[in-house]
Amino acid sequence: MRKQSILFLFIFILLLSCSEKKKSDLLDEKITKDNLITISEKIKNDKNISIEELELFSNGLARYGGISIDSILGKKVNDIIDKQREFKKEYILNMLKTQSANLQIHLNLGFKYIGVQKADTDTLQSNILHFQILNKSNKTIKHIKGELEFYDLNNQIVKRFPIDVIFNLEKGQEFRFTDSYKHEQGNPRDTIIRSKFVRLQALWKPTLLEFSDGKKLEVKYQQ
């Protein structure tokens, strides 16, 4: 039994040692005005550089290049990788926060775009947009804000319409409402919105859902 335990321990240590990744010497190399190409060529043949490190280093250089290119001088390769890893983590966390808030609003509020209607006079041209909402929460909703975005088949943004409505919508209650927006005849984007021959996809992007008890769900989208 003792010999068997020693054998298992030996195998465990052997597997652990095999799984440990050797650190690349390139990670400690400092960047100068003359060695970036050389470093890139070395990385290409360095088996100790992981794909993750390679991606972080490449994206980190690109990001620094867009902010302050001289700031990379004197930094080690690993410095660029670590900074980019921190940036990536922060970006993902912010995105997660945005997605979570957005989804939570959708879980509590059903929002549907019904259609657009022309409302023109001799002096003013308007687009009347029709909406339908449903309170899916367990509380009364009193305020919603956001934007209705229209995209073409190439997923390009065509037009944004702001939504800002104050009311009292009880639990389980459905409500239809309209909002009027000025139509600019010379604006091709406005023309597309009215066209019956252009297929558009409407996307509801909420920014605020406020309940009667004062609780608010807010979304701040990443630029």
Side-chain angles (χ1 to χ4, degrees):
M1 187 68 179
R2 184 180 177 185
K3 289 182 179 180
Q4 191 176 23
S5 299
I6 294 174
L7 179 62
F8 283 146
L9 181 61
F10 174 75
I11 294 174
F12 174 77
I13 294 173
L14 181 63
L15 290 173
L16 185 65
S17 62
C18 290
S19 64
E20 289 181 351
K21 179 179 173 295
K22 183 181 177 182
K23 179 183 174 182
S24 170
D25 294 336
L26 274 175
L27 297 178
D28 292 323
E29 189 158 342
K30 289 187 177 181
I31 297 172
T32 69
K33 293 182 179 181
D34 306 309
N35 68 351
L36 257 180
I37 294 176
T38 303
I39 289 175
S40 298
E41 290 173 347
K42 289 180 180 179
I43 286 177
K44 180 181 178 181
N45 300 312
D46 193 331
K47 295 181 179 179
N48 294 320
I49 294 284
S50 69
I51 294 177
E52 182 201 14
E53 290 171 331
L54 178 59
E55 180 183 8
L56 290 171
F57 182 63
S58 176
N59 292 340
L61 286 179
R63 189 168 64 86
Y64 272 107
I67 300 173
S68 175
I69 193 167
D70 290 336
S71 62
I72 67 174
L73 295 176
K75 283 186 170 59
K76 296 179 181 178
V77 170
N78 200 47
D79 293 336
I80 303 294
I81 291 173
D82 286 342
K83 287 292 183 182
Q84 183 63 21
R85 184 180 283 112
E86 291 174 9
F87 173 82
K88 184 178 179 180
K89 180 180 179 181
E90 188 67 25
Y91 178 82
I92 292 173
L93 287 174
N94 288 333
M95 184 180 292
L96 176 62
K97 183 179 178 180
T98 299
Q99 290 173 338
S100 299
N102 181 289
L103 288 173
Q104 190 161 333
I105 289 180
H106 278 85
L107 288 171
N108 285 276
L109 177 74
F111 187 99
K112 182 180 180 182
Y113 164 68
I114 299 174
V116 60
Q117 175 186 358
K118 299 178 184 178
D120 296 344
T121 66
D122 293 337
T123 57
L124 180 65
Q125 291 184 318
S126 300
N127 293 317
I128 308 296
L129 271 63
H130 297 261
F131 310 97
Q132 179 177 300
I133 55 177
L134 170 65
N135 185 349
K136 300 193 291 183
S137 74
N138 295 317
K139 296 183 286 188
T140 299
I141 293 173
K142 74 171 188 178
H143 191 189
I144 64 170
K145 289 179 68 174
E147 289 182 335
L148 187 71
E149 296 184 340
F150 285 93
Y151 290 84
D152 61 20
L153 294 180
N154 295 319
N155 205 32
Q156 298 296 312
I157 184 73
V158 175
K159 187 80 175 180
R160 291 185 177 95
F161 292 97
I163 309 290
D164 190 346
V165 186
I166 298 175
F167 50 80
N168 283 315
L169 190 64
E170 303 291 337
K171 170 186 174 182
Q173 187 177 357
E174 196 172 71
F175 176 61
R176 287 195 175 197
F177 69 97
T178 61
D179 216 335
S180 177
Y181 304 88
K182 183 180 178 181
H183 176 78
E184 298 179 6
Q185 192 172 4
N187 188 337
R189 294 179 181 271
D190 279 34
T191 304
I192 291 174
I193 294 297
R194 285 190 170 190
S195 175
K196 296 180 180 179
F197 306 103
V198 180
R199 291 179 59 189
L200 297 175
Q201 180 181 0
L203 176 65
W204 161 238
K205 290 183 67 175
T207 56
L208 171 69
L209 178 61
E210 184 177 359
F211 299 96
S212 58
D213 63 1
K215 181 179 178 180
K216 296 180 181 180
L217 299 176
E218 297 182 83
V219 185
K220 294 182 180 180
Y221 296 96
Q222 303 297 307
Q223 299 297 322

